């Protein structure tokens, strides 16, 4: 929406008063004179218009709000701004800009001062939006049913049947409770006379319910006295009503013996509002899922979990319509659930909002709603829509084209479909650009809708020690009650424009405000926070771990261990190659083979020592390096990104920063060109730092994650990777007898991270039996094969059973303690080789691969013969 910006002038024109004033002064009077006024023609949310004498005063309840700032007055507000920023940072509240693929996100932007609405204004908004939600739901019922509105020309077919958001596969579909819309969001703006206008509606998968809740928790904590004394309505009841409605409309509903299972369907961690989706799922107590977590069987929807395929009764979706079912909608979608529409048509799942509602988001619909309201409701709209003209109608097009400077041109269809585009402000472009725009409209009129320009009201914003007006737009959420009625959440997500932009948009650098609805009646104090637990309540609840989350945890464990092994191998190899020791012969061949196996070196014939060193450095730190370390760090970040809701902010930051920090340090902290290649000292310093980072990541995984079945699979993944790596290291050096010399002996201890332990156990000795005892048989050494096998058996045995058998059956894939060769057998040589060691390494490598594959079949893929018992 439009934001004409603040009054012209630079920072010097702003009042310089805040820290020169006596805190005992009347802060309300100070605010009147010190705050910048709203731009002429815009409603000032802070102050009344000046009277005949030029005097002005604050609107209610701002005088009392400022009085309740306390003795610190305005001087204390900057401290509170820092508190807001700190809380956002500590809570990890983010908003991805343009959904960047690398997972980077900026902190959520939240203004310190609230947006305040009194109960009189709110009553008008509440009545108007309940009526409008009823109207839109009936419009949807007609569009997918008799289509009387189309037949009577009350709405053009091109805006319904020609819109990509109208889903023909759902023609004739009747949703549970005849409710298409379960949550509707309306963007409102206040005109200069104080009246409210509906600018647009969000009917597909409205965002903001999570962010507005976080805004409330943050800002109410900054102004607890004002929040209480101004009698601000609480929000929790609306969320409780949302859950009650979902339970009520779910197939089986509240009469079922067990509560319906509700999931929140997310596009995934790279969606711009992923944080709020995870936050909302936690707050509501529902399972956050991606499309891959769900599967359709016999016209029923199931969640794939480690404990079975569990029936899903309701889906609260944040995924756009066309991505939801690749079988009947967008065939290239990897985000949806094949067969979801089939389950909907069978009446076996509630999808909120129903698929096929997005065509109502077209701005062109607004121009036809007044007549539709009179037909369907026999009443005029209580809240007016911003005047809108669809250019597909010749009369409307001719009427408004002459007044483009006073209008906004919007795309009739979604901006990413059918040639859609971002809004164009007629008054903000040159005459030649307006002429070109008129030509484009004339060439393809259906694609364009023109809305009247509305000067947005301006709310007080605390910026750098000043009260500055910012254009504001309010998003209000209406929630169905499941019986044909509606509840309006008493608040909303208020967005404000940045000073530089003319569009209120979070994607374009805007900010948000907490929205306070005051009341003169009783304040609803219901809370969604759990009541005080009784002893009998302390029973372990079954919270399912989805198969997708479990699989990503499993591979996160494997990639973490793999990255640690690669860092250790690269560090040992480079250190040895740059030492005074003899680095030729079988030991060099073994080290080179290990590097090739790990992806640290390309699969090419063994080069000379110096050429191999240069190749190794280039693979680690070259500008286009894709060697084992970078590849595994990228895979680790990807797996972690799929389960960000399970990771602490510190854990996530460690994971995503590891690769970038390693590359910067390996380059010596400078931008390199072809004449400044990476050096071994730089790379070794970078490897040392990366090793410490990986140790911190391992510590987070070991000590700061809940020990559920998902964590158990992460641990199993680490141990499988460790077992495979140990078998490879031991086998390669013993196959070439490279371990018999001093260098090879020490290198093997370094690769097993056991040198200090060996010296403590066997000071002054360098003998193969002692080496094998420590690295293979010692149960107290976490880097010994015996200890790894013991940890694997312990965790695997605790996995849930499947129809393929109990988890203990998996133990048969690991060599039993009785079958493991004795130390004496390992030390025997046959034709100069330690045949027992080589046979053991081959057995262990095969066991690690077999166990990994079987876990995948049983717990992740749910393939035929390995699917788990279906749970209703």
């Amino acid at each position: 929406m439009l934001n004409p910006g603040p009054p012209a002038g630079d920072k010097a024109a702003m009042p310089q008063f805040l820290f020169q004033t006596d805190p005992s002064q009347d802060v309300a009077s100070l605010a009147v004179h010190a705050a910048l006024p709203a731009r002429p023609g815009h409603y000032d949310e802070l102050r009344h218009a000046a009277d005949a004498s030029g005097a002005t005063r604050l609107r209610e309840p701002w005088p009392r709000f400022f009085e309740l700032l306390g003795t610190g007055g305005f001087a204390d507000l900057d401290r509170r701004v820092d508190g807001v920023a700190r809380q956002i940072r500590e809570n990890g509240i983010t908003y991805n800009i343009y959904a960047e693929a690398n997972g980077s996100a900026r902190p959520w932007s939240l203004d310190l001062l609230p947006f305040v609405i009194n109960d009189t204004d709110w009553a008008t908004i509440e009545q108007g939006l309940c009526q409008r939600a009823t109207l839109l739901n009936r419009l949807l019922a007609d569009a997918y049913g008799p289509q009387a509105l189309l037949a009577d020309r009350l709405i053009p077919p091109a805006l319904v049947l020609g819109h990509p958001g109208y889903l023909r596969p759902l023609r004739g579909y009747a949703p549970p409770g005849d409710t298409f819309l379960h949550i509707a969001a309306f963007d409102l703006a206040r005109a200069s006379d104080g009246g409210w206008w509906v600018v647009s509606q969000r009917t597909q998968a409205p965002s903001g319910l999570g962010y507005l809740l976080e805004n409330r928790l943050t800002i109410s904590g900054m102004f607890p006295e004002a929040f209480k004394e101004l009698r601000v309505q609480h929000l929790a009841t609306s969320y409780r009503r949302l859950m009650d409605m979902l339970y009520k409309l779910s197939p089986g509903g509240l009469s079922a013996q067990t509560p319906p299972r509700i999931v929140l369907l997310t596009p995934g961690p790279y969606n711009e509002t992923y944080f709020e989706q995870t936050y909302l799922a936690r707050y509501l107590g529902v399972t956050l899922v991606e499309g891959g977590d769900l599967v359709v069987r016999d016209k029923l929807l199931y969640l794939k979990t480690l404990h079975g395929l569990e029936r899903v009764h309701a889906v609260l979706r944040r995924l756009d319509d066309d991505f939801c079912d690749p079988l009947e909608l967008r065939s290239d979608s990897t985000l949806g659930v094949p067969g979801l529409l089939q389950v909907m048509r069978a009446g076996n799942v509630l999808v909120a909002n129903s698929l096929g509602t997005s065509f109502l988001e077209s701005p062109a619909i607004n121009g036809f709603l007044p007549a539709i309201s009179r037909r369907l409701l026999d009443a005029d709209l209580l809240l007016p829509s911003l005047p809108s003209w669809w250019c597909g109608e010749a009369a409307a097009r001719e009427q408004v084209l002459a007044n483009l400077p006073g209008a906004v041109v919007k795309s009739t269809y979604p901006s990413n479909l059918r040639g859609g585009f971002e809004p164009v402000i007629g008054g903000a472009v040159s005459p030649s650009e307006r002429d070109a725009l008129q030509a484009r409209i004339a060439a393809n009129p259906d694609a364009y809708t023109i809305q009247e320009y509305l000067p947005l009201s301006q709310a007080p914003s605390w910026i750098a020690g000043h009260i500055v007006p910012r254009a504001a737009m309010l998003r209000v959420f209406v929630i169905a009650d499941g019986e044909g009625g509606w509840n309006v959440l008493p608040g909303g997500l208020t967005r404000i424009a940045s000073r530089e932009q003319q569009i209120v948009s979070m994607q374009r650098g805007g900010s948000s405000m907490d929205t306070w609805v005051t009341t003169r009646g009783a304040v609803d104090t219901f809370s969604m926070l759990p009541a005080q637990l009784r002893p009998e309540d302390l029973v372990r609840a079954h919270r399912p771990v989805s198969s997708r989350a479990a699989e990503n945890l499993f591979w996160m464990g494997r990639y973490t261990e793999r990255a640690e092994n690669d860092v250790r191998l690269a560090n040992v190899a480079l250190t040895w190659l740059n030492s005074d020791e003899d680095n030729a012969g079988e030991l060099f061949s073994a080290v080179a083979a290990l590097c090739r196996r790990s992806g640290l070196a390309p699969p090419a014939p063994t080069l000379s020592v110096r050429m191999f060193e240069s190749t190794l450095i280039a693979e680690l730190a070259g500008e286009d390096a894709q060697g084992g370390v970078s590849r595994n760090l990228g895979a680790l970040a990807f797996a972690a990104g799929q389960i960000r809701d399970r990771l602490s902010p510190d854990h996530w930051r460690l994971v995503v920063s590891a690769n970038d920090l390693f590359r910067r340090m390996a380059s010596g902290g400078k931008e390199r060109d072809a004449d400044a290649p990476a050096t071994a000292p730089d790379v070794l310093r970078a490897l040392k730092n990366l090793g410490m980072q990986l140790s911190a990541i391992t510590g987070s995984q070991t000590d700061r994650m809940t020990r559920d079945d998902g964590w158990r699979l992460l641990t199993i993944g680490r141990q499988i990777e460790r077992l495979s790596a140990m078998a490879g290291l031991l086998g390669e050096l013993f196959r070439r007898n490279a371990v018999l010399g001093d260098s090879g002996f020490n290198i093997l201890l370094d690769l097993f991270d056991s040198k200090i332990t060996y010296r403590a156990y066997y000071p002054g000795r360098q003998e193969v039996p002692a080496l094998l005892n420590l690295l293979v048989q010692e149960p107290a050494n976490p880097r010994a094969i015996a200890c790894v096998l013991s940890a694997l058996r312990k965790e695997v045995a605790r996995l849930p059973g499947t129809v393929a058998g109990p988890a203990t059956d998996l133990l048969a894939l690991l060599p039993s303690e009785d079958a493991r060769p004795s130390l004496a057998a390992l030390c025997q040589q046959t034709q100069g080789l330690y045949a027992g060691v080589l046979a053991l390494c081959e057995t262990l490598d095969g066991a690690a691969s077999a166990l990994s594959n079987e876990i995948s079949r049983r717990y992740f893929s749910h393939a035929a013969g390995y699917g788990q018992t279906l749970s209703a």
Side-chain angles (χ1 to χ4, degrees):
M1 195 50 212
L2 299 188
N3 169 24
D10 57 20
K11 190 171 181 180
M14 293 183 178
Q16 307 293 321
F17 66 91
L18 296 176
F19 302 105
Q20 291 80 33
T21 56
D22 183 344
S24 64
Q25 279 188 277
D26 181 354
V27 291
S29 299
L30 186 63
V32 170
H33 300 290
L36 291 174
R39 188 185 181 100
H42 295 252
Y43 185 89
D44 192 332
E45 297 284 351
L46 177 66
R47 292 182 294 197
H48 288 283
D51 59 22
S53 66
T56 186
R57 56 189 175 86
L58 296 181
R59 298 185 188 276
E60 294 295 335
W62 285 109
R64 185 59 181 152
F65 176 89
F66 289 124
E67 289 170 5
L68 292 170
L69 291 180
T71 57
F74 286 110
D76 190 47
L77 291 185
D78 279 337
R79 178 190 63 80
R80 303 191 202 202
V81 168
D82 292 338
V84 169
R86 181 172 59 254
Q87 187 163 332
I88 289 173
R89 184 173 60 252
E90 291 175 352
N91 290 348
I93 311 170
T94 58
Y95 184 83
N96 298 342
I97 298 299
Y98 302 118
E100 295 175 3
N102 63 6
S104 63
R106 70 163 184 168
W108 176 247
S109 183
L110 175 60
D111 204 76
L112 177 64
L113 299 181
F115 186 87
V116 185
I117 305 174
N118 61 43
D119 54 355
T120 301
D121 281 343
W122 188 252
T124 300
I125 291 173
E126 193 170 33
Q127 293 173 9
L129 294 187
C130 284
Q131 180 204 47
R132 190 172 284 257
T134 300
L135 176 64
L136 294 181
N137 196 67
R138 292 190 184 181
L139 196 162
L140 286 165
D142 180 75
Y144 286 101
Q147 297 187 342
L149 296 175
L150 295 176
D152 294 342
R153 303 292 183 180
L154 287 173
I155 186 169
L159 295 184
V160 179
L161 305 180
H163 194 287
Y166 181 82
L167 303 184
R168 285 175 172 77
L170 288 179
R171 176 72 194 280
Y173 169 67
D178 294 323
T179 304
F180 287 86
L181 292 180
H182 306 85
I183 307 169
F186 297 91
D187 290 329
L188 307 180
R190 199 200 295 259
S192 58
D193 62 359
W196 291 94
W197 293 78
V198 178
V199 177
S200 61
Q201 52 264 347
R202 293 290 176 264
T203 55
Q204 181 173 208
S207 63
L209 279 174
Y211 284 126
L212 75 87
L213 184 62
E214 186 64 48
N215 286 357
R216 170 57 53 86
L217 294 175
T218 301
I219 299 304
S220 63
M222 294 296 118
F223 303 105
E225 299 87 358
F227 184 82
K228 182 178 180 180
E229 186 164 330
L230 298 183
R231 307 180 66 81
V232 180
Q233 281 289 17
H234 294 197
L235 305 175
T237 294
S238 294
Y239 292 89
R240 180 67 265 168
R241 287 172 174 168
L242 169 61
M243 293 303 298
D244 290 343
M245 177 268 295
L246 295 175
Y247 282 133
K248 185 183 303 181
L249 294 181
S250 296
L254 297 175
S255 62
Q257 292 182 350
T258 57
R261 177 170 299 287
I262 301 171
V263 299
L264 193 155
L265 178 60
T266 170
Y270 299 118
N271 182 262
E272 62 266 23
T273 60
Y274 182 70
F275 167 82
E276 82 145 355
Q277 294 160 25
T278 61
Y279 182 83
L280 187 60
R282 288 195 193 113
Y283 184 73
L284 297 178
V286 302
T287 305
L288 184 73
V289 301
E290 294 183 28
D293 295 324
L294 304 174
V295 64
V296 172
R297 301 278 174 86
D298 299 325
K299 297 184 180 180
L300 295 173
L301 185 65
Y302 291 96
L303 172 65
K304 295 186 287 188
T305 80
L306 296 183
H307 293 272
L309 292 179
E310 300 189 1
R311 170 83 183 275
V312 173
H313 302 83
V315 178
L316 181 61
R317 69 180 178 100
R318 291 297 299 276
L319 184 62
D320 288 350
D321 287 345
D322 51 341
F323 289 97
C324 284
D325 186 346
L327 285 184
E328 299 191 54
L329 301 175
R330 184 165 173 167
S331 60
D332 63 344
S333 171
T334 60
L335 303 177
V337 185
L340 180 61
L341 265 66
Q342 184 184 42
V343 183
M344 290 176 59
R345 288 192 295 261
N348 292 331
V349 70
L350 168 71
V351 177
N353 286 337
S354 175
L355 300 183
T357 57
S358 65
F359 73 88
L360 292 181
E361 296 183 354
S362 172
I365 294 289
N366 286 342
F368 301 92
L369 288 182
I372 294 174
S373 177
R374 288 189 288 271
R375 166 63 65 86
L376 296 181
L377 305 181
D378 194 25
D380 291 325
L381 291 173
L382 298 176
L383 271 182
S385 296
L386 190 64
S388 305
W389 297 269
W390 178 50
C391 292
E393 291 188 325
R397 182 172 68 252
E398 293 173 2
Q399 179 182 346
V400 297
L401 278 182
N403 191 35
L404 275 186
V408 183
V409 181
K410 295 185 176 182
S411 177
T412 301
Y413 306 107
S415 58
N416 62 331
L417 295 172
R418 294 192 58 170
F421 55 90
E422 293 298 315
V424 177
I425 303 168
V429 298
S430 66
S432 61
E433 289 173 317
R434 282 198 296 272
D435 291 342
L437 180 59
Q438 285 185 328
R440 292 199 299 273
I441 294 174
N444 186 20
D446 287 20
Y448 294 84
T449 297
I450 297 178
Q451 285 190 330
E452 184 177 292
Y453 168 78
L454 178 67
L456 298 180
S457 69
Q458 297 196 315
S461 172
W462 183 260
I463 300 177
H466 301 85
I467 298 178
V468 180
R470 286 288 180 262
M473 181 175 286
L474 171 65
R475 175 168 293 183
V476 181
F477 295 84
V478 183
I479 298 168
D481 65 6
E483 298 177 350
W486 304 87
N487 301 294
V488 180
L489 185 144
L493 180 65
T494 298
R495 294 166 296 154
I496 57 175
S498 65
R499 186 176 185 185
E500 297 79 12
Q501 294 292 335
Q502 292 185 297
I503 300 290
V504 174
S505 169
M506 299 300 293
Q507 286 281 17
R508 299 191 179 194
S511 186
S512 67
M513 287 180 159
D514 186 21
T515 306
W516 289 12
V517 175
T518 62
T519 180
R520 285 169 287 189
V523 174
D524 183 357
T525 58
F526 172 80
S527 174
M528 284 279 282
L529 296 175
Q532 185 173 359
L533 290 171
R534 300 167 299 173
E536 56 267 30
D537 296 325
L538 295 174
V539 179
R540 184 179 179 184
H542 166 55
R543 291 188 65 84
V545 178
S546 72
S547 295
R548 178 191 55 84
E551 184 173 16
N552 280 290
L553 285 164
F554 177 77
W555 282 102
M556 185 177 176
R558 293 201 65 168
Y559 284 124
T560 304
E561 183 70 21
R562 194 174 294 179
E564 284 192 1
N565 293 335
D566 285 351
V567 167
R568 192 176 299 111
L569 174 59
N571 186 62
V572 169
L574 277 179
T575 301
W576 178 63
L577 291 171
N578 283 273
S579 69
D580 295 331
E581 300 178 28
D582 181 12
N583 45 29
E586 289 298 326
L587 181 56
F588 171 69
S589 298
V591 170
L594 287 172
C595 289
R596 288 196 298 271
R597 171 180 170 167
S598 298
L600 293 173
T606 303
L607 307 171
S608 69
V609 172
R610 290 307 134 209
M611 289 183 66
F612 179 78
E613 179 189 359
S614 299
T615 301
L616 181 59
I617 292 174
E619 287 294 311
L620 286 168
E623 185 176 351
D624 299 318
Q626 297 296 324
V629 171
S630 291
R631 182 174 63 249
N632 289 322
L633 289 176
L636 170 61
F638 179 82
Q642 305 304 305
I643 50 170
R644 281 180 61 178
D645 57 309
R646 297 180 64 98
L647 307 181
S648 70
D650 287 342
H651 190 173
W652 170 247
R653 280 193 291 270
L654 280 170
V655 170
V656 298
S657 66
N659 198 20
D660 287 341
L661 184 58
F662 169 69
R663 297 290 293 276
R664 285 200 303 272
M665 291 194 67
S667 69
K670 59 184 180 297
E671 296 294 332
R672 291 196 317 272
D673 54 34
D675 297 327
T679 64
D682 285 337
V683 173
L684 285 169
R685 280 193 298 270
L687 288 168
K688 181 179 179 180
N689 182 76
L690 179 56
M692 291 188 291
Q693 272 194 291
L694 289 169
S695 295
I697 291 172
T698 300
S700 295
Q701 294 172 359
T702 304
D703 296 330
R704 296 186 178 182
M705 295 183 71
T706 304
R707 281 163 165 72
D708 58 8
D709 288 327
W711 175 87
R712 184 158 292 112
L713 279 162
L714 181 148
T715 303
I716 290 171
R718 286 188 64 93
Q719 297 299 332
I720 286 177
E721 191 65 38
R722 184 171 297 181
L723 185 65
S724 177
M726 286 177 170
L729 294 171
L730 204 64
E732 193 63 51
L733 269 73
F734 269 88
R735 184 177 301 111
R736 301 172 185 272
N737 279 331
V739 74
L740 300 181
D742 290 347
S743 295
F745 198 96
N746 288 321
I747 281 177
L748 188 58
L749 285 173
D750 282 332
L751 292 176
F752 270 70
D753 198 17
S754 296
K755 182 178 283 187
I756 294 176
T757 306
Y758 182 86
R759 288 173 177 171
Y761 278 27
Y762 312 107
R765 291 184 177 274
Q766 187 166 303
E767 301 173 17
V768 170
L771 179 73
L772 291 174
N773 185 58
L774 178 65
L775 302 186
V776 178
Q777 306 284 38
E778 177 55 63
N781 178 16
R783 296 287 175 174
I785 288 172
C787 188
V788 172
L789 286 171
S790 176
L792 267 175
R793 290 192 189 94
K794 176 183 175 182
E795 298 302 339
V796 167
R798 293 180 177 179
L799 289 173
T802 73
V803 295
T808 51
D809 288 354
L810 295 172
L811 298 179
L813 299 173
L814 297 171
S816 66
E817 293 187 19
D818 294 337
R820 195 169 67 229
S822 65
L823 181 60
L826 291 174
C827 292
Q828 290 180 356
Q829 296 188 57
T830 302
Q831 296 180 346
L833 293 175
Y834 288 84
V837 173
L838 298 181
L840 175 63
C841 292
E842 185 176 351
T843 298
L844 294 177
D845 195 44
S849 177
L851 180 59
S852 177
N853 291 337
E854 186 64 17
I855 285 175
S856 177
R857 283 194 292 266
R858 287 194 181 198
Y859 296 104
F860 306 150
S861 65
H862 294 259
Y866 294 89
Q868 296 162 331
T869 303
L870 302 185
S871 170

